[in-house]
Amino acid sequence: MPPVPTFSEASARDVLLLRAFESEGDSPLWTREDRDWATRLARPAGAADFIAERARHAMQRLAPREPGVARLRASVARRRGWGWAAAVVLAAFVAGAAIDHIGSAQRINLLAPPVWALVLWNLGMAALFVVWRVARSIGAA
């Protein structure tokens, strides 16, 4: 049975990105000579790591030629900070579920100023998030 390749997240991203370029055929960004070069350099890596090594070498040529490749590879690295956000959301859910059972009245006065402050805070944060995403997408274009 042939060895099954295992990829890190970065290697899998590079493999799929290279596949997208190769599925288009020859182009000024990725030529047959580039394919042969990447294959030749990756051959000593062995059967299991050949695909990942070939993609890694291909990114060395594609990234300087196409700014979108470098930007895409960098954007994935920036997304790794979501673990702490998930932990905060989970902690807030657990705290909210625990506090829900603590109160004896089991009712919320919708006219109370603290409730409106909370609603306004949530609306403000949602608006800020939307503005931030729109500004970021305009800046990336």
Side-chain angles (χ1 to χ4, degrees), residues 98-111:
I99 291 171
D100 181 50
H101 294 290
I102 293 173
S104 61
Q106 296 292 321
R107 293 188 299 172
I108 297 174
N109 180 2
L110 293 178
L111 299 177

Side-chain angles (χ1 to χ4, degrees), residues 1-131:
M1 178 177 248
V4 176
T6 57
F7 298 122
S8 66
E9 180 182 352
S11 294
R13 181 193 58 241
D14 289 347
V15 167
L16 291 175
L17 193 56
L18 177 61
R19 184 175 179 194
F21 275 95
E22 289 188 333
S23 68
E24 294 298 315
D26 281 347
S27 73
L29 296 174
W30 190 244
T31 63
R32 174 153 303 283
E33 291 80 28
D34 293 326
R35 285 187 187 100
D36 294 342
W37 172 81
T39 302
R40 190 175 58 254
L41 287 178
R43 205 164 296 214
D49 296 329
F50 173 77
I51 297 170
E53 278 298 306
R54 186 173 180 274
R56 187 177 66 78
H57 290 298
M59 291 305 119
Q60 292 174 354
R61 285 209 174 163
L62 281 170
R65 294 177 185 173
E66 174 60 40
V69 170
R71 191 170 46 243
L72 179 66
R73 293 178 82 209
S75 72
V76 174
R78 287 193 299 256
R79 288 187 212 149
R80 295 185 186 204
W82 286 96
W84 66 269
V88 168
V89 169
L90 181 63
F93 175 76
V94 169
I99 291 171
D100 181 50
H101 294 290
I102 293 173
S104 61
Q106 296 292 321
R107 293 188 299 172
I108 297 174
N109 180 2
L110 293 178
L111 299 177
V115 173
W116 284 106
L118 181 64
V119 169
L120 291 174
W121 171 264
N122 285 334
L123 289 174
M125 290 295 107
L128 184 66
F129 179 72
V130 168
V131 167

